[in-house]
Amino acid sequence: MGPIRALRSLGNSFGLAWWAKVETIQPEVTYWFGPFLTRRSLKVRLNGFIDDLSAESPKKINHSLIRCRRNEPLTS
């Protein structure tokens, strides 16, 4: 495990990591994208993730940025 990955894992275990909760409508799916050390680094990468989801043609995509601790599963 690299040092950045170890820091993200540690931050997540303490509930300090940044995550994006991305919800789609038709199909109704919730995706969690993260963990990230900073809100800024999450925002930089989030557009690519949303672009990938857009290729699946959901009717609507909503997202929120949350600082929390997440475990599997990351899709529901």
Side-chain angles (χ1 to χ4, degrees), residues 6 9 16 22 26-27 35-37 49 60 62 71 75:
S9 180
L16 300 174
V22 182
Q26 290 183 358
F36 288 88
L37 292 174
F49 183 74
K60 187 172 183 181
N62 296 317
N71 292 317
T75 303

Side-chain angles (χ1 to χ4, degrees), residues 9-45:
S9 180
L10 182 64
N12 187 49
S13 67
F14 286 109
L16 300 174
W18 285 96
W19 289 84
K21 181 180 181 182
V22 182
E23 299 173 290
T24 62
I25 298 173
Q26 290 183 358
E28 292 185 22
V29 181
T30 300
Y31 300 91
W32 287 90
F33 181 59
F36 288 88
L37 292 174
T38 65
R39 181 181 174 105
R40 181 175 181 227
S41 62
L42 170 56
K43 290 173 88 173
V44 167
R45 302 278 309 275

